[in-house]
Amino acid sequence: MILDGKSPTGPIEQTWDRHRFDMKLVNPANKRKYKILVVGTGLAGASAAASLGELGYNVEAFCYQDSPRRAHSIAAQGGINAAKNYPNDGDSIRRLFYDTVKGGDFRAREADVWRLAQVSNDIIDQCVAQGVPFARDYAGYLDNRSFGGAQVSRTFYARGQTGQQLLLGAYSALMAQVKAGTVKIFPRTEVMDIVLVNGEAKGVTLRDLITGKYRTHVGDAVILCSGGYANVYDLSTMARGASVSANWAAYKKGAYFANPCYTQIHPTCIPQSGDYQSKLTLMSESLRNDGRCWVPRNHGDNRPPNDIPEEDRDYYLERKYPSFGNLAPRDIASRAAKEQCDDGRGVGPGGRGVYLDFRDAINRLGEDTIRERYGNLFEMYELITAENGYKVPMRIYPAPHYAMGGLWVDYNCMSNLPGLFVLGEANFSVHGANRLGASALMQGLADGYFIIPYTIANYLAQTKPGMLKADAPECQASLQEVEARVNKLLSINGKRTVAELHREIGSLMWNNAGMARSEESLKEAIEKIPAIREEFWQNVRIPGAGAELNQQLENAGRVADFLEFGELLCRDALHRRESCGGHFRVEYQTEDGEALRDDENFCYSAAWGFKGVDNEPELHKEPLKFENVELAVRSYK
Amino acid sequence: MSGQNEHRTMTLKLIVWRQKGPKEAGRFETYVARGITEHHSFLEMLDVVNQDLIKEGQEPITFDHDCREGICGTCSQVINGQPHGGQTRTTVCQLHMRKFKDGDAIYIEPWRARAFPILRDLVVDRSALDRIIQAGGYTSVRTGAAPDGNSILISKEAADYAMDAAECIGCGACVAACPNGAAMLFTGAKVSQLAALPQGQVEARERVNSMIEAMQECGFGNCTNHYECQAACPKGIDVKFIARLNREYLKALMF
Ligand SMILES: Cc1cc2nc3c(=O)[nH]c(=O)nc-3n(C[C@H](O)[C@H](O)[C@H](O)COP(=O)(O)OP(=O)(O)OC[C@H]3O[C@@H](n4cnc5c(N)ncnc54)[C@H](O)[C@@H]3O)c2cc1C
Ligand code: FES
């Protein structure tokens, strides 16, 4: 089927304003009759729930952590983009739009990206008014830094904790609405199913993680803000509890999953040190403002890094991409690091690492300036590795980090299921095949503060409130389904632990569908995943009971979903016979190893429809048109 | 550089608080952690122990964690009597086993405070901290109503001061460390952050009153200047913010 993203037409500068005017409104007195269920309290969820509560809707917000403030947005370090052009270095809404479309390797919808760039400035203003302590210069003005994939300085930051500060801003707005009585929060709950009435999303079924009891919450619309799926690789920069489960439940109820193969592998993470490891820690991309990436020029050069003289170092990013240098975009920087290590010039245990060296910056600016800019990152590096990054170059290696793919949504952020909206990392919309640094925070807050308040009204204005009652058969069926699945998990009582099986699918995904993919590796994965899934459902061991706080059971549900989702990711990667952004098929590359797109055959978003766990999914296509940015080879040389 | 000790492993004795539910009695149980290297984080060491427990058919130790990179504030354990284990500016998830020696005995307990009831093993209910923020830890700006970010200048000094306070991750170690179970550092950090910024000043008086009231209603104790909170804080939040809280409170009472 050919999907329609419902992009408004006409001059792109006017699309959002015109669309806003064309959409229907809900009368202020009627707003409180509508209940909106928001799954997730990260940047997207907290900003959406708070803004909708403020408008007078009745809102319920869910998260699996013990407080909304702990959503994984908290971990974002580097910064958030906006087209303010405060530094007067040539930025504009059009340039941010252009950079994002190009950075995404021409695989996103133009109108959505334009809107993102347009509202970016409002986000900064909103956050400042909330008391977010962005970095300031000595004259009291907001400060900016540079991020990969851009030649202007448009990134706003709060030390190395930008995500934390933005989330605490959104969380405080949310708490204000809790006090005002418009929003109710339900922490320590896991949403496990979406309830549909005549094909429209009207409820969620969840498990209370403390009591283990199941409940259905009914409403008039559901907004999924449940984050990304990079934990399908097991080891990633995500929180341990992050999962694809809420999205997957929606997919199984008929929502389309778009571009799952677009995964971002972040170039600067602390390398893995052993197989007991539970997560990979990101070192913010902002470090590449001042750090230089290099490996020894010669094979077998085992000297300590500080003993390797300048002429024996290969600053490979500066060599390969002279105009962007160390600020080359993530997909490109990650592949370049892998290339050096595959060539046998990697450093550290197993040769899986490259240096990120601050020596020159420290000589130029002094250690204090570097400490002021990145102090907490150096501290974190030392805690984990016991090495001092000011004295010895850091060792870094790429790691799974972000999901560009997600549930398919139209221009209104609504999935193909009416009433089901998807925001933030959980949707597929604006980043195409590769996300630029500092753009996810921008997207989450754009979606939640400035887009959903308008677009959801357009839907609600055309529905009657209270269509689903708590005792409806749809709710009963959903409760039974969820409970049956948990009981089945608990009854297996096999020999393998959940963590072992997560590791197994994770390393298969990393090796076969990670930074480089081939027809062969993907076919192998598609063959092996069902076997791991089978092993899981035959032989997993989950101690304890259902009606209690049971972390193994929580993890088991998440891993069970990854064991299905991983296969879809591989199928999508196999079907896309081109390389673009984070999706690199070794068969499709230029002579010098760059991604080779095929615009003739693949200039579309792939949205997959569920047809049963063991059946092939159905492919729907949304063709992409580029009328404002010329489809060109993406070059950073 | 590290590396030389890579193959040496440690065996440790863990004495862990186990409690099945909020109303049940708890007790210490002893476990052995084997094959631990200096590169394991403390939580990865517990993962290893839990894998063994599951395989032996026993119930694993329940503990809170999520980001495992020291920022979400979820992890919360008292190790050998010290919240987060006592290493300066470090959460449990960032504590590494190189701080321990082969053969060490390690006591592991949950946060203990009147306002934080135990839910299971090492997991406590910290929703009281959310309730303090609900009482006034915000500026009441409506979405879309904000002026340009540069229209009100903020001195670098004030921005940095606000950021020092805003670094709080809300883990509750300050409460667990305090002999009175007070939440003064937590509350003081939020009040000071907003009081230092022009955007927070309009509501300053109401904010400090209602946050202090909420703190008392939630069952947190009073501050008697022990300063254990600052020592335990994984973000190094300074007790000067408690002094600021008291000043703001006095100001609110007087004017
Ligand atoms: C280490 C790190 C650093 C980053 N740095 C940057 C940066 O500098 N700049 C930038 O722009 N981006 C950065 N990113 C990306 C960015 O932080 C995320 O993409 C973004 O914050 C996601 O926000 P979100 O609201 O979509 O999801 P999240 O913040 O992940 O929130 C997901 C929410 O959904 C809830 N949830 C999930 N599943 C369920 C369920 N089944 N039931 C109930 N609740 C559920 C969770 O509890 C949580 O509240 C970084 C990401 C990481 C991991
Ligand atoms: S798990 Fe997030 S701070 Fe420790």
Side-chain angles (χ1 to χ4, degrees):
Chain A
M1 189 171 89
I2 299 296
L3 280 171
D4 181 5
K6 304 203 186 86
S7 285
T9 50
I12 196 148
E13 307 76 27
Q14 296 165 18
T15 40
W16 176 231
D17 298 341
R18 278 217 332 270
H19 187 70
R20 264 199 311 186
F21 182 74
D22 291 341
M23 280 186 295
K24 298 196 167 35
L25 301 171
V26 177
N27 162 326
N30 283 340
K31 288 203 175 82
R32 70 189 149 72
K33 297 185 190 149
Y34 289 100
K35 188 189 274 181
I36 301 172
L37 308 173
V38 182
V39 182
T41 59
L43 288 184
S47 60
S51 304
L52 294 168
E54 229 172 69
L55 285 168
Y57 293 107
N58 206 327
V59 180
E60 294 186 346
F62 309 90
C63 67
Y64 71 76
Q65 292 92 349
D66 71 324
S67 163
R69 66 180 288 155
R70 306 198 202 285
H72 200 51
S73 292
I74 202 93
Q77 302 168 350
I80 176 167
N81 287 333
K84 287 277 195 190
N85 194 31
Y86 286 152
N88 193 30
D89 57 357
D91 205 3
S92 61
I93 290 172
R94 184 170 290 275
R95 187 173 297 280
L96 175 53
F97 160 72
Y98 171 85
D99 286 348
T100 309
V101 170
K102 175 185 169 194
D105 218 352
F106 303 91
R107 288 294 175 264
R109 217 185 270 146
E110 278 191 338
D112 295 46
V113 180
W114 184 276
R115 174 176 60 189
L116 173 71
Q118 184 180 341
V119 304
S120 66
N121 294 337
D122 299 336
I123 297 172
I124 302 304
D125 302 340
Q126 185 67 27
C127 297
V128 168
Q130 288 168 344
V132 169
F134 283 120
R136 302 249 164 189
D137 63 21
Y138 283 98
Y141 291 91
L142 289 158
D143 195 21
N144 289 112
R145 55 166 58 144
S146 306
F147 251 60
Q151 286 172 314
V152 294
S153 232
R154 63 160 71 101
T155 305
F156 295 77
Y157 64 102
R159 289 201 188 132
Q161 291 113 292
T162 316
Q164 178 197 28
Q165 294 311 314
L166 297 176
L167 182 61
L168 293 182
Y171 158 81
S172 67
L174 182 70
M175 291 300 103
Q177 291 307 308
V178 171
K179 186 183 181 190
T182 58
V183 179
K184 281 205 190 72
I185 52 168
F186 297 90
R188 291 200 198 268
T189 55
E190 178 118 345
V191 169
M192 302 177 78
D193 194 22
I194 312 294
V195 187
L196 305 183
V197 182
N198 303 327
E200 304 200 18
K202 297 288 171 190
V204 299
T205 298
L206 55 80
R207 181 168 175 272
D208 178 323
L209 298 181
I210 297 174
T211 61
K213 296 221 165 73
Y214 308 94
R215 283 199 310 269
T216 292
H217 287 236
V218 299
D220 299 293
V222 176
I223 310 181
L224 291 184
C225 311
S226 44
Y229 51 73
N231 270 349
V232 68
Y233 294 100
D234 184 23
L235 285 181
S236 80
T237 64
M238 299 298 283
R240 283 316 288 164
S243 74
V244 75
S245 295
N247 268 6
W248 201 242
Y251 169 72
K252 286 175 132 176
K253 281 288 163 81
Y256 297 151
F257 212 117
N259 303 335
C261 79
Y262 294 161
T263 47
Q264 179 163 84
I265 312 297
H266 197 291
T268 52
C269 302
I270 300 178
Q272 188 178 351
S273 63
D275 56 11
Y276 51 79
Q277 195 146 338
S278 61
K279 91 157 277 161
L280 296 170
T281 303
L282 176 76
M283 292 277 101
S284 168
E285 169 162 308
S286 60
L287 290 169
R288 290 197 276 140
N289 267 298
D290 289 306
R292 300 175 70 193
C293 295
W294 65 276
V295 290
R297 187 174 298 283
N298 305 311
H299 290 100
D301 187 344
N302 292 328
R303 287 176 287 181
N306 287 333
D307 293 351
I308 302 184
E310 205 57 19
E311 63 274 17
D312 290 341
R313 298 174 171 204
D314 177 11
Y315 294 95
Y316 57 90
L317 284 175
E318 296 167 36
R319 167 171 58 81
K320 289 176 60 118
Y321 307 100
S323 66
F324 279 71
N326 291 293
L327 287 175
R330 293 180 175 171
D331 51 341
I332 289 177
S334 287
R335 275 200 300 280
K338 177 175 189 291
E339 197 180 280
Q340 313 314 313
C341 298
D342 289 349
D343 181 41
R345 293 184 299 139
V347 299
R352 290 278 137 197
V354 300
Y355 291 123
L356 180 64
D357 197 339
F358 291 86
R359 185 193 62 184
D360 297 346
I362 290 174
N363 288 341
R364 196 173 65 244
L365 305 163
E367 195 173 309
D368 285 345
T369 305
I370 297 300
R371 179 167 289 130
E372 162 121 336
R373 287 187 188 161
Y374 317 106
N376 69 316
L377 299 172
F378 279 72
E379 246 175 55
M380 188 150 87
Y381 183 79
E382 184 159 2
L383 280 176
I384 295 171
T385 62
E387 288 173 21
N388 178 343
Y390 299 104
K391 301 277 179 275
V392 188
M394 292 182 178
R395 280 179 299 108
I396 52 163
Y397 196 67
H401 173 60
Y402 182 84
M404 280 77 70
L407 291 184
W408 183 87
V409 289
D410 64 14
Y411 186 70
N412 286 335
C413 288
M414 187 163 85
S415 73
N416 56 307
L417 301 179
L420 181 70
F421 293 79
V422 193
L423 311 180
E425 194 173 339
N427 76 22
F428 89 118
S429 66
V430 291
H431 305 296
N434 174 59
R435 172 174 74 79
L436 292 181
S439 287
L441 301 182
M442 171 170 69
Q443 185 214 344
L445 293 180
D447 289 359
Y449 285 134
F450 297 112
I451 299 172
I452 193 73
Y454 296 97
T455 61
I456 205 167
N458 186 54
Y459 167 75
L460 291 173
Q462 304 176 59
T463 57
K464 263 208 340 258
M467 267 163 51
L468 178 64
K469 301 275 174 282
D471 55 0
E474 288 90 346
C475 298
Q476 296 309 318
S478 168
L479 278 170
Q480 275 163 14
E481 209 178 292
V482 164
E483 199 170 344
R485 180 167 120 136
V486 173
N487 289 342
K488 182 156 177 222
L489 282 170
L490 286 165
S491 69
I492 301 166
N493 205 13
K495 296 203 161 51
R496 307 281 305 276
T497 65
V498 177
E500 278 170 6
L501 288 153
H502 196 177
R503 219 169 282 143
E504 198 168 322
I505 170 97
S507 69
L508 179 66
M509 294 299 292
W510 179 236
N511 293 328
N512 291 36
M515 259 188 290
R517 299 130 182 214
S518 68
E519 176 164 344
E520 195 190 339
S521 74
L522 293 165
K523 283 191 167 154
E524 184 188 60
I526 291 169
E527 198 182 297
K528 284 186 170 166
I529 294 169
I532 308 177
R533 196 158 64 220
E534 172 80 8
E535 168 75 358
F536 178 92
W537 284 102
Q538 297 297 325
N539 203 15
V540 74
R541 173 179 213 137
I542 300 159
E548 61 182 11
L549 174 48
N550 186 337
Q551 294 175 322
Q552 291 297 316
L553 181 60
E554 294 164 29
N555 293 343
R558 295 166 188 158
V559 171
D561 291 333
F562 282 134
L563 286 166
E564 293 174 7
F565 168 72
E567 189 178 329
L568 182 71
L569 191 159
C570 292
R571 284 190 191 281
D572 185 42
L574 180 65
H575 116 281
R576 193 166 278 281
R577 296 170 174 278
E578 65 163 351
S579 294
C580 56
H583 169 63
F584 192 73
R585 284 280 300 262
V586 296
E587 303 95 324
Y588 309 102
Q589 50 180 308
T590 62
E591 261 168 36
D592 45 2
E594 303 295 339
L596 191 60
R597 264 191 356 244
D598 176 355
D599 293 329
E600 202 159 312
N601 295 304
F602 289 97
C603 195
Y604 61 80
S605 297
W608 300 90
F610 181 65
K611 292 279 153 198
V613 173
D614 294 313
N615 301 328
E616 282 194 29
E618 185 181 5
L619 174 62
H620 307 279
K621 296 179 182 176
E622 183 197 337
L624 295 168
K625 286 199 283 290
F626 292 90
E627 291 165 344
N628 297 277
V629 185
E630 197 188 339
L631 256 185
V633 176
R634 177 168 163 252
S635 167
Y636 292 94
K637 288 203 187 252
Chain B
M1 304 245 305
S2 57
Q4 298 105 305
N5 299 333
E6 215 135 58
H7 301 294
R8 276 233 313 268
T9 63
M10 295 181 258
T11 302
L12 305 145
K13 186 164 118 182
L14 309 183
I15 303 107
V16 185
W17 185 259
R18 303 299 307 259
Q19 179 171 337
K20 233 176 136 65
K23 301 221 172 71
E24 311 207 24
R27 66 205 178 290
F28 282 106
E29 297 270 349
T30 303
Y31 305 96
V32 179
R34 291 192 180 80
I36 306 302
T37 75
E38 58 166 330
H39 295 301
H40 281 74
S41 71
F42 197 84
L43 299 188
E44 285 164 351
M45 181 276 291
L46 285 179
D47 289 342
V48 171
V49 173
N50 273 348
Q51 291 298 302
D52 291 346
L53 288 176
I54 297 168
K55 298 223 153 172
E56 288 161 14
Q58 298 188 57
E59 294 218 354
I61 303 158
T62 307
F63 60 90
D64 258 335
H65 66 98
D66 201 33
C67 76
R68 295 202 173 194
E69 56 180 272
I71 191 73
C72 71
T74 309
C75 61
S76 43
Q77 299 174 19
V78 177
I79 298 165
N80 290 334
Q82 291 181 296
H84 289 303
Q87 181 174 311
T88 325
R89 289 175 65 91
T90 308
T91 52
V92 192
C93 61
Q94 294 285 71
L95 184 66
H96 277 68
M97 297 309 291
R98 60 181 76 94
K99 296 290 165 196
F100 296 88
K101 292 190 312 294
D102 189 32
D104 276 357
I106 307 174
Y107 281 82
I108 310 176
E109 295 171 77
W111 281 177
R112 294 196 193 272
R114 190 154 40 113
F116 294 161
I118 294 177
L119 296 173
R120 179 163 200 174
D121 296 347
L122 307 173
V123 175
V124 302
D125 177 355
R126 285 174 288 193
S127 53
L129 296 179
D130 288 329
R131 290 196 292 280
I132 295 179
I133 301 295
Q134 283 157 22
Y138 45 77
T139 72
S140 304
V141 54
R142 288 185 72 91
T143 301
D148 184 86
N150 265 344
S151 62
I152 304 172
L153 299 187
I154 300 173
S155 72
K156 183 166 188 318
E157 206 185 353
D160 285 349
Y161 174 94
M163 183 66 211
D164 287 343
E167 284 198 41
C168 167
I169 58 174
C171 62
C174 48
V175 178
C178 176
N180 309 326
M184 291 288 277
L185 192 59
F186 172 83
T187 311
K190 187 48 78 184
V191 165
S192 304
Q193 175 202 340
L194 295 175
L197 299 169
Q199 289 80 3
Q201 264 148 29
V202 177
E203 297 167 286
R205 182 174 161 187
E206 211 181 299
R207 172 179 309 117
V208 70
N209 282 333
S210 38
M211 287 179 77
I212 287 194
E213 197 180 294
M215 212 171 73
Q216 286 159 348
E217 274 169 15
C218 289
F220 292 102
N222 290 317
C223 174
T224 46
N225 302 324
H226 289 267
Y227 298 152
E228 295 290 343
C229 49
Q230 176 178 322
C233 176
K235 295 294 141 179
I237 306 286
D238 199 300
V239 290
K240 73 180 180 202
F241 298 122
I242 296 183
R244 174 79 182 244
L245 173 67
N246 289 328
R247 270 203 320 279
E248 292 292 326
Y249 189 51
L250 271 179
K251 253 185 5 205
L253 289 180
M254 284 179 344
F255 300 107

